[in-house]
Amino acid sequence: IASNSLLAYIMPAYRSAIESRRAILAKGISVGNFEIEVQLPDSDKVISVEISSVPIVFNREHAVLTIVRDINERKFLARRLI
């Protein structure tokens, strides 16, 4: 994955929202969690993920720390409870 743009794996319906969030983060402003669907590399499988991003300072430079969490099981269990 390191050699490819991560945007390539994000489903097209979410790309503009991701770009908007990136612009906000670039200004050093925090954004909340965001749920999207991504296509796994080298696969046709699409999964739901939660993205958490915060602006940080790393080695005296501004950066963004992003955590991507697979939430398929959580969504599956929530549907079973309903």
Side-chain angles (χ1 to χ4, degrees):
I1 293 178
S3 64
N4 296 317
S5 169
L6 293 177
L7 283 176
Y9 303 107
I10 296 172
M11 300 306 289
Y14 298 100
R15 289 186 186 151
S16 65
I18 292 294
E19 289 295 342
S20 297
R21 293 170 64 82
R22 285 175 63 179
I24 293 168
L25 286 161
K27 295 176 185 175
I29 301 169
S30 293
V31 294
N33 294 352
F34 189 54
E35 291 184 18
I36 65 168
E37 293 181 334
V38 297
Q39 184 172 357
L40 296 178
D42 302 323
S43 170
D44 290 334
K45 185 175 180 181
V46 175
I47 64 169
S48 295
V49 298
E50 178 182 72
I51 299 177
S52 304
S53 298
V54 293
I56 63 170
V57 175
F58 180 75
N59 288 337
R60 298 185 190 152
E61 293 188 29
H62 294 283
V64 175
L65 174 64
T66 299
I67 299 170
V68 179
R69 183 179 309 122
D70 180 343
I71 59 170
N72 274 326
E73 186 173 350
R74 180 175 79 189
K75 290 182 102 175
F76 171 75
L77 293 173
R79 283 192 300 271
R80 283 186 54 189
L81 290 173
I82 296 177

